[in-house]
Amino acid sequence: NTIEVPMNINDQIFYKAELLTKGMRASDNAKAILYKEFPDFFTKGIMHSLNVRFSETNCNVSIADDFAHESPYLLDEKDGNFFITDGKNSFPVSFFGALPHTGTVVDDFARLHSKGCVTIWPNSNCCYDRKNEKCRFCSIVKERETPLDADVLADSIKKLFELSKDNMLNFSGGTYKNPDVMADYWIDLVKKIRAFSDAKIAIEFAPPSDLEKIAALKNAGADVAIMNLEVANDELRKKICPGKSKISYEHYYKAFEKAVSVFGWGQVSSVLIAGIQPKEDIMAECEKMAKIGVFPTVMPIRPLDNAPVDISTRCNPQDLIEIATHLSGLLVKYNLDFKKQEGCTKCGGCSIENDCYRKQLQSNN
């Protein structure tokens, strides 16, 4: 006996901020139906989170991790239709479908995060996933000693593209051995993919010490570079990212400038995490990034089960909305349009600045 919410842009932003910060439960009925097609939805970690669409937005919402079990939001199903409810109000949601089965390794690692956006994590062995070095928000679990062989992965992607066309590729995962070794892996992989496809490719990586590898990645055929600073204040960053913070703040900005010079304005992005640092620091850092052509993405902290972060660490959804609203103004000011960048930024499922940007444009018109 819920009332279906007529979803305007403000409602959309509100509910998306709530879902990103609080996660969602699923009814037994919804689980039974979804498990048949999407068993990975019920695996812990952000990679396996539920990817849904409602109104005009994509949303990557945690459903398997323990913190989500306390959520006021429930995914349910009736007459073949799925909807989210808080007990009083409800709204319909849809899914992006499963990728076709290829019979290759890519079946285990590729996820459709939004329409046409395939995310792949070929490496789960991170050099920062060590005692007293792991980033406190990271839920990565080492499943393999080395990254997937680039030839094997490229062949698998070729098979996937034979069955499912018009996809862009977004690559992420742990940093194997060190940022330079991982950059070499990405360069090699992109070259192999370019031998059979002109699909858009976004790569998430830690800044290598040799910044010419960024240019080599672009020359190999990558379209977008994603280098996540995560924490603005350098002293706080050392506490939250004890291993990764060995890459200095100054080096990040040298890498940003190099990447913008080769990939282009708005074709470089960086994540900042809300809920673990003052919102004023995030907003100031967003402007510093945006004014040099880097697209800031603000994701809320999720206390995932396999992450060292304390379960009490949460992001206030209203703070997330305030930050994203401020950021949307910067995106307009510095001519950064999410629709012009492929991969994670264009998908926008893990953050709300794209939605606030659309609201800003509507207000301006």
Side-chain angles (χ1 to χ4, degrees):
N1 297 320
T2 60
I3 301 172
E4 185 171 321
V5 177
M7 190 79 70
N8 60 35
I9 188 68
N10 290 320
D11 296 323
Q12 176 187 299
I13 290 169
F14 170 80
Y15 282 111
K16 187 174 178 181
E18 288 277 301
L19 291 168
L20 289 176
T21 56
K22 298 177 181 179
M24 178 172 63
R25 297 169 291 125
S27 70
D28 291 340
N29 188 45
K31 280 184 180 179
I33 296 171
L34 288 173
Y35 196 82
K36 294 175 182 177
E37 188 173 5
F38 308 107
D40 53 281
F41 281 174
F42 304 101
T43 304
K44 296 178 186 294
I46 196 167
M47 174 62 183
H48 307 290
S49 300
L50 193 67
N51 296 293
V52 300
R53 185 167 180 83
F54 62 90
S55 186
E56 299 178 11
T57 194
N58 308 318
C59 187
N60 176 278
V61 54
S62 294
I63 196 168
D65 288 270
D66 286 350
F67 84 97
H69 300 165
E70 306 169 9
S71 174
Y73 296 97
L74 177 74
L75 177 71
D76 207 350
E77 182 273 344
K78 185 177 181 181
D79 300 328
N81 299 309
F82 288 88
F83 60 93
I84 295 174
T85 178
D86 60 5
K88 296 179 180 179
N89 300 311
S90 65
F91 53 92
V93 296
S94 58
F95 304 96
F96 301 107
L99 289 168
H101 184 74
T102 66
T104 70
V105 295
V106 80
D107 293 341
D108 295 326
F109 308 112
R111 301 287 181 266
L112 200 56
H113 274 202
S114 62
K115 184 179 180 181
C117 182
V118 178
T119 293
I120 301 176
W121 286 40
N123 176 50
S124 60
N125 185 348
C126 185
C127 63
Y128 306 119
D129 184 14
R130 306 287 186 269
K131 185 178 180 181
N132 300 322
E133 289 199 356
K134 187 172 185 175
C135 297
R136 296 195 59 78
F137 48 78
C138 181
S139 66
I140 196 168
V141 175
K142 185 170 73 171
E143 297 173 344
R144 298 174 303 281
E145 289 298 325
T146 60
L148 284 172
D149 180 83
D151 283 307
V152 172
L153 181 53
D155 287 344
S156 300
I157 292 170
K158 184 177 181 181
K159 178 66 174 178
L160 176 65
F161 280 2
E162 290 171 355
L163 300 172
S164 177
K165 302 184 185 301
D166 301 322
N167 287 318
M168 57 184 169
L169 295 167
N170 191 90
F171 290 100
S172 186
T175 301
Y176 182 62
K177 289 191 176 180
N178 60 59
D180 289 74
V181 169
M182 199 68 215
D184 288 338
Y185 174 85
W186 293 128
I187 292 165
D188 184 38
L189 177 63
V190 172
K191 285 180 179 177
K192 294 180 187 304
I193 294 171
R194 283 289 172 250
F196 60 84
S197 175
D198 60 358
K200 297 295 185 180
I201 299 175
I203 307 285
E204 181 180 337
F205 60 99
S209 61
D210 179 2
L211 295 182
E212 288 308 311
K213 292 182 184 293
I214 295 175
L217 184 60
K218 171 62 176 174
N219 291 335
D223 298 284
V224 173
I226 306 171
M227 293 178 284
N228 299 329
L229 181 63
E230 287 120 359
V231 183
N233 179 281
D234 206 33
E235 289 306 309
L236 184 58
R237 183 168 162 260
K238 291 174 183 176
K239 295 178 181 178
I240 295 173
C241 306
K244 194 177 179 184
S245 62
K246 292 173 185 176
I247 306 172
S248 72
Y249 178 91
E250 291 75 19
H251 188 70
Y252 261 89
Y253 271 85
K254 289 178 182 178
F256 289 154
E257 290 169 357
K258 178 67 175 181
V260 171
S261 74
V262 295
F263 282 89
W265 189 272
Q267 299 306 307
V268 181
S269 63
S270 185
V271 168
L272 294 163
I273 300 178
I276 56 173
Q277 56 190 313
K279 59 186 178 184
E280 294 80 12
D281 287 359
I282 296 175
M283 290 189 281
E285 200 68 33
C286 282
E287 178 140 29
K288 187 173 180 181
M289 288 180 179
K291 72 195 306 183
I292 63 169
V294 176
F295 193 113
T297 298
V298 180
M299 294 172 54
I301 183 68
R302 303 189 199 191
L304 303 169
D305 292 1
N306 293 320
V309 69
D310 188 275
I311 189 67
S312 64
T313 303
R314 301 293 178 92
C315 176
N316 184 307
Q318 288 303 314
D319 285 346
L320 183 63
I321 292 172
E322 181 182 345
I323 295 167
T325 299
H326 175 79
L327 174 52
S328 69
L330 297 176
L331 298 178
V332 173
K333 178 180 179 181
Y334 293 107
N335 192 29
L336 296 167
D337 185 344
F338 71 90
K339 295 186 293 297
K340 295 179 180 178
Q341 186 182 130
E342 306 297 336
C344 246
T345 301
K346 189 173 185 177
C347 169
C350 296
S351 59
I352 61 171
E353 63 274 345
N354 293 2
D355 309 283
C356 292
Y357 174 80
R358 287 193 294 106
K359 178 184 176 181
Q360 179 90 11
L361 293 183
Q362 290 177 14
S363 299
N364 291 351
N365 293 332

